[in-house]
Amino acid sequence: MSPAAPGDVPGEAGAPSTSVALDCAYFDAWRCRSCTLLATPYERQLAEQQARIEALLPEMPWDAPHASAVGGFRNKAKMAVAGSVDAPTIGILAADGSGIDLRACPLHEQPIVDAMPVLEQLVRDARLTPYDVPNRRGELKHLILTASPDGELALRLVLRSTESLGRLRKHLGLLDALPLASVSANLLPQHKAVLEGDDELLLAGSGVLEMRVNGIGLRLRPRSFFQTNTAVASALYREATAWIDEADPASLLDLYCGVGGFALHAARAGRPVAGVEVTAEAIDAARETAAAMGADASFTVGDATSVDLEGARAPELVVVNPPRRGIGELAGRLEASAVRRVVYSSCNPVTLAKDLAAMPGLRPVRGRVFDMFPHTEHAEVLVELERA
């Protein structure tokens, strides 16, 4: 099976056609139906997605949606491990808890697909017993592999305990064939439907994967969040930066800033920026990137919803990039503040609509859809708001 050629919106400079569908034997065989829209032509996916989002949100001018490659776009593989030590499956779990092997999933970037046979060998040689969900026994729960634009990889093994760490360390040489920047073990002793636990042990490498996006080397540590579609994320950052540059604010605050993507792109114009994020690991990474750039940027660990926005201390422009639940009470605080402009990046148009309704004093002036997750109804939406 092979992904089709990359696609983008017809008419956009240098954009190839989106008319070719993705060939996926897993989907055709009903082994995996996660890509619920895969049977829908990609141009139609985009058009229907745009119509759904426009119907949810207030009226505003819309730029043409930014499309994705239809295959080979995912920079992260979150793979459940099941089966046996000698015959592991690496993919997803069926409803009964058995494994469905998806190691050649055509959504993943090629370095991830190429690494899968080596990871299978590691499971077998290090005797990493796959976790049996129905019977609640075994050790290896997930393999999480992230690829950078430069072709480097970061590997995380989610384990039930430290029982297999000795064997794992003994066989790490198997991974020498892979361009790994980081290998870590995450400990998840509980039997619950989550991807990772609280404890992370670095086993090899620097513990940092550099994601070079639009010339900025964003640093990802094992628990850092980054968009799963690097090419579309790059376009999202470029668009937001263009809007910010047009507004030319004297001060900018990036809330839910993660590793600093929006703030550090905006900082390249020489303006001072600040960011707030609850995850200390992400803030450390943002500070390191800012120092490497020589940017006038400060980053703080904290709750984005409780940042001081009052009076003269209010920044002129605020960027928000919240999780799926939206910004909640922060919407009311932005509405009551002296903030003149908001750039809102949302992965959930439903909560975006709710948040916009709570900020009637901030008028939507333009929006654009970024298809971060082709073949599904999920999308990233960028909206610019200005004080009415």
Side-chain angles (χ1 to χ4, degrees):
M1 81 191 64
S2 59
D8 214 324
V9 176
E12 189 165 307
S17 169
T18 57
S19 60
V20 183
L22 178 67
D23 174 24
C24 180
Y26 299 123
F27 184 87
D28 293 342
W30 286 81
R31 291 186 59 75
C32 175
R33 305 291 286 189
S34 299
C35 295
T36 55
L37 303 181
L38 196 60
T40 303
Y42 189 56
E43 296 92 337
R44 181 176 158 194
Q45 290 183 36
L46 282 179
E48 292 180 351
Q49 180 184 75
Q50 181 72 38
R52 282 194 304 271
I53 291 169
E54 286 191 32
L56 277 171
L57 300 181
E59 185 174 349
M60 71 184 86
W62 288 91
D63 290 336
H66 187 96
S68 171
V70 295
F73 58 83
R74 283 190 68 96
N75 60 33
K76 178 177 281 190
K78 303 174 183 178
M79 310 295 268
V81 184
S84 67
V85 168
D86 295 312
T89 62
I90 301 175
I92 60 175
L93 298 180
D96 63 0
S98 61
I100 298 175
D101 197 276
L102 299 179
R103 70 188 72 184
C105 173
L107 299 187
H108 294 139
E109 292 185 8
Q110 194 60 45
I112 292 175
V113 178
D114 292 344
M116 288 298 161
V118 179
L119 299 185
E120 180 194 7
Q121 186 71 34
L122 179 67
V123 172
R124 289 193 275 113
D125 287 9
R127 313 307 291 172
L128 303 177
T129 309
Y131 187 62
D132 182 334
V133 172
N135 294 303
R136 303 190 179 190
R137 61 172 179 255
E139 283 297 313
L140 179 59
K141 294 186 173 184
H142 299 99
L143 293 171
I144 305 173
L145 193 63
T146 306
S148 80
D150 297 326
E152 287 192 312
L153 298 168
L155 172 65
R156 302 174 71 203
L157 299 97
V158 181
L159 303 170
R160 189 182 186 189
S161 74
T162 60
E163 181 273 332
S164 59
L165 284 181
R167 299 191 305 278
L168 179 55
R169 287 190 173 102
K170 180 180 177 181
H171 288 86
L172 283 179
L174 285 170
L175 302 178
D176 290 346
L178 302 179
L180 283 162
S182 174
V183 181
S184 62
N186 179 273
L187 301 182
L188 178 59
Q190 302 90 347
H191 178 86
K192 56 183 180 181
V194 296
L195 188 65
E196 62 186 27
D198 296 329
D199 297 322
E200 195 87 22
L201 307 174
L202 183 64
L203 302 179
S206 66
V208 175
L209 181 68
E210 185 173 78
M211 303 292 286
R212 189 162 297 282
V213 178
N214 300 321
I216 297 177
L218 299 173
R219 289 159 166 77
L220 300 190
R221 289 188 170 87
R223 298 172 64 84
S224 297
F225 168 79
F226 189 78
Q227 299 282 8
T228 60
N229 189 324
T230 305
V232 177
S234 299
L236 174 70
Y237 287 136
R238 291 194 300 271
E239 188 84 358
T241 303
W243 293 0
I244 292 165
D245 287 345
E246 285 180 25
D248 194 21
S251 54
L252 180 146
L253 178 61
D254 182 0
L255 299 179
Y256 312 92
C257 70
V259 296
F262 286 104
L264 293 170
H265 276 77
R268 288 201 292 194
R271 65 176 58 89
V273 301
V276 176
E277 163 65 42
V278 72
T279 307
E281 181 181 82
I283 289 297
D284 288 342
R287 289 170 177 166
E288 290 172 8
T289 306
M293 294 171 58
D296 185 359
S298 61
F299 293 95
T300 304
V301 178
D303 180 358
T305 64
S306 61
V307 170
D308 187 0
L309 298 171
E310 307 306 319
R313 294 185 295 271
E316 190 173 322
L317 187 148
V318 171
V319 177
V320 291
N321 181 29
R324 289 188 61 79
R325 64 179 179 272
I327 63 175
E329 64 187 59
L330 178 60
R333 297 188 61 238
L334 284 168
E335 170 70 13
S337 76
V339 172
R340 301 301 307 165
R341 196 173 296 266
V342 174
V343 174
Y344 192 141
S345 182
S346 169
C347 62
N348 186 348
V350 174
T351 56
L352 172 60
K354 181 179 178 181
D355 291 339
L356 295 186
M359 298 185 287
L362 287 159
R363 177 176 60 92
V365 294
R366 56 181 160 182
R368 192 173 189 189
V369 175
F370 291 79
D371 192 20
M372 203 75 70
F373 320 98
H375 320 306
T376 75
E377 293 189 353
H378 300 293
E380 193 80 13
V381 185
L382 190 69
V383 174
E384 182 181 12
L385 312 171
E386 67 178 10
R387 185 69 61 182

PDB file of all heavy atoms in Angstrom, residues 272-303:
ATOM      1  N   PRO A 272       8.794  41.951  21.665  1.00  0.00           N
ATOM      2  CA  PRO A 272       8.831  41.144  22.883  1.00  0.00           C
ATOM      3  C   PRO A 272       7.599  40.256  22.980  1.00  0.00           C
ATOM      4  O   PRO A 272       6.482  40.679  22.651  1.00  0.00           O
ATOM      5  CB  PRO A 272       8.839  42.195  23.997  1.00  0.00           C
ATOM      6  CG  PRO A 272       8.176  43.391  23.395  1.00  0.00           C
ATOM      7  CD  PRO A 272       8.536  43.375  21.932  1.00  0.00           C
ATOM      8  N   VAL A 273       7.798  39.028  23.396  1.00  0.00           N
ATOM      9  CA  VAL A 273       6.684  38.099  23.546  1.00  0.00           C
ATOM     10  C   VAL A 273       6.811  37.390  24.890  1.00  0.00           C
ATOM     11  O   VAL A 273       7.891  37.324  25.481  1.00  0.00           O
ATOM     12  CB  VAL A 273       6.654  37.050  22.407  1.00  0.00           C
ATOM     13  CG1 VAL A 273       6.528  37.714  21.046  1.00  0.00           C
ATOM     14  CG2 VAL A 273       7.894  36.167  22.450  1.00  0.00           C
ATOM     15  N   ALA A 274       5.691  36.856  25.353  1.00  0.00           N
ATOM     16  CA  ALA A 274       5.673  36.070  26.583  1.00  0.00           C
ATOM     17  C   ALA A 274       4.753  34.883  26.374  1.00  0.00           C
ATOM     18  O   ALA A 274       3.829  34.927  25.552  1.00  0.00           O
ATOM     19  CB  ALA A 274       5.193  36.912  27.764  1.00  0.00           C
ATOM     20  N   GLY A 275       5.007  33.811  27.116  1.00  0.00           N
ATOM     21  CA  GLY A 275       4.178  32.621  27.004  1.00  0.00           C
ATOM     22  C   GLY A 275       3.909  32.015  28.358  1.00  0.00           C
ATOM     23  O   GLY A 275       4.734  32.126  29.271  1.00  0.00           O
ATOM     24  N   VAL A 276       2.758  31.355  28.488  1.00  0.00           N
ATOM     25  CA  VAL A 276       2.362  30.687  29.725  1.00  0.00           C
ATOM     26  C   VAL A 276       1.867  29.292  29.376  1.00  0.00           C
ATOM     27  O   VAL A 276       1.077  29.113  28.442  1.00  0.00           O
ATOM     28  CB  VAL A 276       1.258  31.473  30.472  1.00  0.00           C
ATOM     29  CG1 VAL A 276       0.797  30.709  31.712  1.00  0.00           C
ATOM     30  CG2 VAL A 276       1.742  32.861  30.843  1.00  0.00           C
ATOM     31  N   GLU A 277       2.329  28.302  30.131  1.00  0.00           N
ATOM     32  CA  GLU A 277       1.984  26.902  29.892  1.00  0.00           C
ATOM     33  C   GLU A 277       2.091  26.164  31.220  1.00  0.00           C
ATOM     34  O   GLU A 277       2.989  26.439  32.020  1.00  0.00           O
ATOM     35  CB  GLU A 277       2.931  26.311  28.857  1.00  0.00           C
ATOM     36  CG  GLU A 277       2.985  24.804  28.768  1.00  0.00           C
ATOM     37  CD  GLU A 277       1.681  24.193  28.296  1.00  0.00           C
ATOM     38  OE1 GLU A 277       1.061  24.741  27.371  1.00  0.00           O
ATOM     39  OE2 GLU A 277       1.288  23.161  28.860  1.00  0.00           O
ATOM     40  N   VAL A 278       1.184  25.228  31.470  1.00  0.00           N
ATOM     41  CA  VAL A 278       1.157  24.523  32.746  1.00  0.00           C
ATOM     42  C   VAL A 278       2.261  23.481  32.861  1.00  0.00           C
ATOM     43  O   VAL A 278       2.648  23.093  33.967  1.00  0.00           O
ATOM     44  CB  VAL A 278      -0.231  23.883  32.970  1.00  0.00           C
ATOM     45  CG1 VAL A 278      -0.439  22.692  32.039  1.00  0.00           C
ATOM     46  CG2 VAL A 278      -0.432  23.492  34.422  1.00  0.00           C
ATOM     47  N   THR A 279       2.808  23.020  31.742  1.00  0.00           N
ATOM     48  CA  THR A 279       3.800  21.946  31.757  1.00  0.00           C
ATOM     49  C   THR A 279       5.210  22.518  31.825  1.00  0.00           C
ATOM     50  O   THR A 279       5.671  23.179  30.893  1.00  0.00           O
ATOM     51  CB  THR A 279       3.657  21.073  30.501  1.00  0.00           C
ATOM     52  OG1 THR A 279       2.303  20.624  30.383  1.00  0.00           O
ATOM     53  CG2 THR A 279       4.587  19.874  30.568  1.00  0.00           C
ATOM     54  N   ALA A 280       5.909  22.237  32.921  1.00  0.00           N
ATOM     55  CA  ALA A 280       7.248  22.794  33.121  1.00  0.00           C
ATOM     56  C   ALA A 280       8.226  22.323  32.054  1.00  0.00           C
ATOM     57  O   ALA A 280       9.099  23.083  31.607  1.00  0.00           O
ATOM     58  CB  ALA A 280       7.757  22.415  34.517  1.00  0.00           C
ATOM     59  N   GLU A 281       8.098  21.073  31.625  1.00  0.00           N
ATOM     60  CA  GLU A 281       8.987  20.531  30.601  1.00  0.00           C
ATOM     61  C   GLU A 281       8.898  21.332  29.316  1.00  0.00           C
ATOM     62  O   GLU A 281       9.914  21.625  28.663  1.00  0.00           O
ATOM     63  CB  GLU A 281       8.622  19.069  30.355  1.00  0.00           C
ATOM     64  CG  GLU A 281       9.484  18.360  29.340  1.00  0.00           C
ATOM     65  CD  GLU A 281       9.053  16.914  29.135  1.00  0.00           C
ATOM     66  OE1 GLU A 281       8.101  16.697  28.355  1.00  0.00           O
ATOM     67  OE2 GLU A 281       9.665  16.023  29.746  1.00  0.00           O
ATOM     68  N   ALA A 282       7.678  21.718  28.931  1.00  0.00           N
ATOM     69  CA  ALA A 282       7.491  22.506  27.712  1.00  0.00           C
ATOM     70  C   ALA A 282       8.078  23.905  27.873  1.00  0.00           C
ATOM     71  O   ALA A 282       8.679  24.448  26.931  1.00  0.00           O
ATOM     72  CB  ALA A 282       6.013  22.585  27.361  1.00  0.00           C
ATOM     73  N   ILE A 283       7.921  24.497  29.046  1.00  0.00           N
ATOM     74  CA  ILE A 283       8.461  25.834  29.284  1.00  0.00           C
ATOM     75  C   ILE A 283       9.981  25.812  29.229  1.00  0.00           C
ATOM     76  O   ILE A 283      10.617  26.713  28.654  1.00  0.00           O
ATOM     77  CB  ILE A 283       7.958  26.385  30.626  1.00  0.00           C
ATOM     78  CG1 ILE A 283       6.461  26.716  30.534  1.00  0.00           C
ATOM     79  CG2 ILE A 283       8.750  27.611  31.065  1.00  0.00           C
ATOM     80  CD1 ILE A 283       6.117  27.813  29.539  1.00  0.00           C
ATOM     81  N   ASP A 284      10.590  24.790  29.797  1.00  0.00           N
ATOM     82  CA  ASP A 284      12.051  24.673  29.709  1.00  0.00           C
ATOM     83  C   ASP A 284      12.495  24.634  28.249  1.00  0.00           C
ATOM     84  O   ASP A 284      13.480  25.275  27.863  1.00  0.00           O
ATOM     85  CB  ASP A 284      12.527  23.408  30.428  1.00  0.00           C
ATOM     86  CG  ASP A 284      12.420  23.505  31.937  1.00  0.00           C
ATOM     87  OD1 ASP A 284      12.309  24.639  32.454  1.00  0.00           O
ATOM     88  OD2 ASP A 284      12.443  22.455  32.603  1.00  0.00           O
ATOM     89  N   ALA A 285      11.771  23.870  27.433  1.00  0.00           N
ATOM     90  CA  ALA A 285      12.117  23.761  26.018  1.00  0.00           C
ATOM     91  C   ALA A 285      11.953  25.101  25.302  1.00  0.00           C
ATOM     92  O   ALA A 285      12.795  25.493  24.483  1.00  0.00           O
ATOM     93  CB  ALA A 285      11.244  22.698  25.353  1.00  0.00           C
ATOM     94  N   ALA A 286      10.861  25.815  25.591  1.00  0.00           N
ATOM     95  CA  ALA A 286      10.632  27.118  24.964  1.00  0.00           C
ATOM     96  C   ALA A 286      11.732  28.101  25.330  1.00  0.00           C
ATOM     97  O   ALA A 286      12.208  28.871  24.478  1.00  0.00           O
ATOM     98  CB  ALA A 286       9.271  27.666  25.387  1.00  0.00           C
ATOM     99  N   ARG A 287      12.150  28.085  26.588  1.00  0.00           N
ATOM    100  CA  ARG A 287      13.226  28.982  27.012  1.00  0.00           C
ATOM    101  C   ARG A 287      14.533  28.665  26.277  1.00  0.00           C
ATOM    102  O   ARG A 287      15.264  29.581  25.870  1.00  0.00           O
ATOM    103  CB  ARG A 287      13.426  28.858  28.520  1.00  0.00           C
ATOM    104  CG  ARG A 287      12.294  29.469  29.347  1.00  0.00           C
ATOM    105  CD  ARG A 287      12.435  29.089  30.809  1.00  0.00           C
ATOM    106  NE  ARG A 287      11.406  29.730  31.637  1.00  0.00           N
ATOM    107  CZ  ARG A 287      11.128  29.361  32.890  1.00  0.00           C
ATOM    108  NH1 ARG A 287      11.793  28.351  33.453  1.00  0.00           N
ATOM    109  NH2 ARG A 287      10.186  29.998  33.565  1.00  0.00           N
ATOM    110  N   GLU A 288      14.820  27.373  26.101  1.00  0.00           N
ATOM    111  CA  GLU A 288      16.050  26.991  25.400  1.00  0.00           C
ATOM    112  C   GLU A 288      16.021  27.456  23.946  1.00  0.00           C
ATOM    113  O   GLU A 288      17.022  27.965  23.419  1.00  0.00           O
ATOM    114  CB  GLU A 288      16.228  25.479  25.469  1.00  0.00           C
ATOM    115  CG  GLU A 288      16.564  24.958  26.856  1.00  0.00           C
ATOM    116  CD  GLU A 288      16.532  23.444  26.927  1.00  0.00           C
ATOM    117  OE1 GLU A 288      16.406  22.805  25.861  1.00  0.00           O
ATOM    118  OE2 GLU A 288      16.631  22.904  28.045  1.00  0.00           O
ATOM    119  N   THR A 289      14.880  27.290  23.284  1.00  0.00           N
ATOM    120  CA  THR A 289      14.781  27.734  21.895  1.00  0.00           C
ATOM    121  C   THR A 289      14.899  29.246  21.799  1.00  0.00           C
ATOM    122  O   THR A 289      15.574  29.774  20.902  1.00  0.00           O
ATOM    123  CB  THR A 289      13.450  27.260  21.276  1.00  0.00           C
ATOM    124  OG1 THR A 289      13.317  25.853  21.430  1.00  0.00           O
ATOM    125  CG2 THR A 289      13.394  27.604  19.791  1.00  0.00           C
ATOM    126  N   ALA A 290      14.244  29.951  22.716  1.00  0.00           N
ATOM    127  CA  ALA A 290      14.326  31.413  22.720  1.00  0.00           C
ATOM    128  C   ALA A 290      15.766  31.876  22.892  1.00  0.00           C
ATOM    129  O   ALA A 290      16.225  32.808  22.209  1.00  0.00           O
ATOM    130  CB  ALA A 290      13.449  31.980  23.833  1.00  0.00           C
ATOM    131  N   ALA A 291      16.509  31.224  23.787  1.00  0.00           N
ATOM    132  CA  ALA A 291      17.911  31.590  24.009  1.00  0.00           C
ATOM    133  C   ALA A 291      18.740  31.335  22.754  1.00  0.00           C
ATOM    134  O   ALA A 291      19.592  32.149  22.384  1.00  0.00           O
ATOM    135  CB  ALA A 291      18.469  30.815  25.196  1.00  0.00           C
ATOM    136  N   ALA A 292      18.481  30.196  22.090  1.00  0.00           N
ATOM    137  CA  ALA A 292      19.223  29.885  20.870  1.00  0.00           C
ATOM    138  C   ALA A 292      18.944  30.892  19.760  1.00  0.00           C
ATOM    139  O   ALA A 292      19.820  31.196  18.943  1.00  0.00           O
ATOM    140  CB  ALA A 292      18.873  28.473  20.409  1.00  0.00           C
ATOM    141  N   MET A 293      17.720  31.424  19.737  1.00  0.00           N
ATOM    142  CA  MET A 293      17.331  32.410  18.727  1.00  0.00           C
ATOM    143  C   MET A 293      17.787  33.821  19.081  1.00  0.00           C
ATOM    144  O   MET A 293      17.813  34.703  18.214  1.00  0.00           O
ATOM    145  CB  MET A 293      15.810  32.424  18.561  1.00  0.00           C
ATOM    146  CG  MET A 293      15.192  31.175  17.996  1.00  0.00           C
ATOM    147  SD  MET A 293      13.372  31.227  18.091  1.00  0.00           S
ATOM    148  CE  MET A 293      12.984  32.719  17.169  1.00  0.00           C
ATOM    149  N   GLY A 294      18.073  34.047  20.357  1.00  0.00           N
ATOM    150  CA  GLY A 294      18.325  35.406  20.812  1.00  0.00           C
ATOM    151  C   GLY A 294      17.047  36.229  20.846  1.00  0.00           C
ATOM    152  O   GLY A 294      17.073  37.455  20.679  1.00  0.00           O
ATOM    153  N   ALA A 295      15.905  35.573  21.069  1.00  0.00           N
ATOM    154  CA  ALA A 295      14.600  36.236  21.038  1.00  0.00           C
ATOM    155  C   ALA A 295      14.321  36.963  22.346  1.00  0.00           C
ATOM    156  O   ALA A 295      14.744  36.537  23.424  1.00  0.00           O
ATOM    157  CB  ALA A 295      13.503  35.218  20.771  1.00  0.00           C
ATOM    158  N   ASP A 296      13.584  38.060  22.254  1.00  0.00           N
ATOM    159  CA  ASP A 296      13.114  38.791  23.434  1.00  0.00           C
ATOM    160  C   ASP A 296      11.842  38.098  23.906  1.00  0.00           C
ATOM    161  O   ASP A 296      10.722  38.525  23.600  1.00  0.00           O
ATOM    162  CB  ASP A 296      12.847  40.248  23.066  1.00  0.00           C
ATOM    163  CG  ASP A 296      12.461  41.107  24.275  1.00  0.00           C
ATOM    164  OD1 ASP A 296      12.379  40.543  25.394  1.00  0.00           O
ATOM    165  OD2 ASP A 296      12.222  42.309  24.102  1.00  0.00           O
ATOM    166  N   ALA A 297      12.020  36.992  24.618  1.00  0.00           N
ATOM    167  CA  ALA A 297      10.882  36.143  24.990  1.00  0.00           C
ATOM    168  C   ALA A 297      11.025  35.661  26.422  1.00  0.00           C
ATOM    169  O   ALA A 297      12.124  35.317  26.860  1.00  0.00           O
ATOM    170  CB  ALA A 297      10.794  34.944  24.046  1.00  0.00           C
ATOM    171  N   SER A 298       9.914  35.646  27.140  1.00  0.00           N
ATOM    172  CA  SER A 298       9.890  35.088  28.495  1.00  0.00           C
ATOM    173  C   SER A 298       8.782  34.062  28.568  1.00  0.00           C
ATOM    174  O   SER A 298       7.692  34.263  28.014  1.00  0.00           O
ATOM    175  CB  SER A 298       9.661  36.190  29.530  1.00  0.00           C
ATOM    176  OG  SER A 298       8.415  36.836  29.320  1.00  0.00           O
ATOM    177  N   PHE A 299       9.055  32.961  29.252  1.00  0.00           N
ATOM    178  CA  PHE A 299       8.085  31.878  29.356  1.00  0.00           C
ATOM    179  C   PHE A 299       7.933  31.489  30.819  1.00  0.00           C
ATOM    180  O   PHE A 299       8.921  31.358  31.548  1.00  0.00           O
ATOM    181  CB  PHE A 299       8.525  30.674  28.512  1.00  0.00           C
ATOM    182  CG  PHE A 299       8.506  30.948  27.045  1.00  0.00           C
ATOM    183  CD1 PHE A 299       9.663  31.360  26.373  1.00  0.00           C
ATOM    184  CD2 PHE A 299       7.333  30.828  26.319  1.00  0.00           C
ATOM    185  CE1 PHE A 299       9.646  31.621  25.017  1.00  0.00           C
ATOM    186  CE2 PHE A 299       7.306  31.093  24.956  1.00  0.00           C
ATOM    187  CZ  PHE A 299       8.466  31.494  24.300  1.00  0.00           C
ATOM    188  N   THR A 300       6.671  31.276  31.230  1.00  0.00           N
ATOM    189  CA  THR A 300       6.351  31.047  32.634  1.00  0.00           C
ATOM    190  C   THR A 300       5.471  29.814  32.778  1.00  0.00           C
ATOM    191  O   THR A 300       4.531  29.625  31.991  1.00  0.00           O
ATOM    192  CB  THR A 300       5.604  32.268  33.214  1.00  0.00           C
ATOM    193  OG1 THR A 300       6.398  33.443  33.010  1.00  0.00           O
ATOM    194  CG2 THR A 300       5.335  32.087  34.707  1.00  0.00           C
ATOM    195  N   VAL A 301       5.764  29.010  33.794  1.00  0.00           N
ATOM    196  CA  VAL A 301       4.894  27.883  34.134  1.00  0.00           C
ATOM    197  C   VAL A 301       3.690  28.436  34.894  1.00  0.00           C
ATOM    198  O   VAL A 301       3.832  29.143  35.898  1.00  0.00           O
ATOM    199  CB  VAL A 301       5.633  26.855  35.001  1.00  0.00           C
ATOM    200  CG1 VAL A 301       4.693  25.706  35.385  1.00  0.00           C
ATOM    201  CG2 VAL A 301       6.862  26.320  34.278  1.00  0.00           C
ATOM    202  N   GLY A 302       2.495  28.131  34.418  1.00  0.00           N
ATOM    203  CA  GLY A 302       1.311  28.626  35.105  1.00  0.00           C
ATOM    204  C   GLY A 302       0.035  28.224  34.404  1.00  0.00           C
ATOM    205  O   GLY A 302       0.044  27.653  33.305  1.00  0.00           O
ATOM    206  N   ASP A 303      -1.075  28.549  35.040  1.00  0.00           N
ATOM    207  CA  ASP A 303      -2.404  28.262  34.526  1.00  0.00           C
ATOM    208  C   ASP A 303      -2.825  29.407  33.607  1.00  0.00           C
ATOM    209  O   ASP A 303      -2.948  30.556  34.052  1.00  0.00           O
ATOM    210  CB  ASP A 303      -3.377  28.118  35.691  1.00  0.00           C
ATOM    211  CG  ASP A 303      -4.797  27.813  35.257  1.00  0.00           C
ATOM    212  OD1 ASP A 303      -5.059  27.754  34.033  1.00  0.00           O
ATOM    213  OD2 ASP A 303      -5.658  27.649  36.140  1.00  0.00           O
TER     214      ASP A 303
END
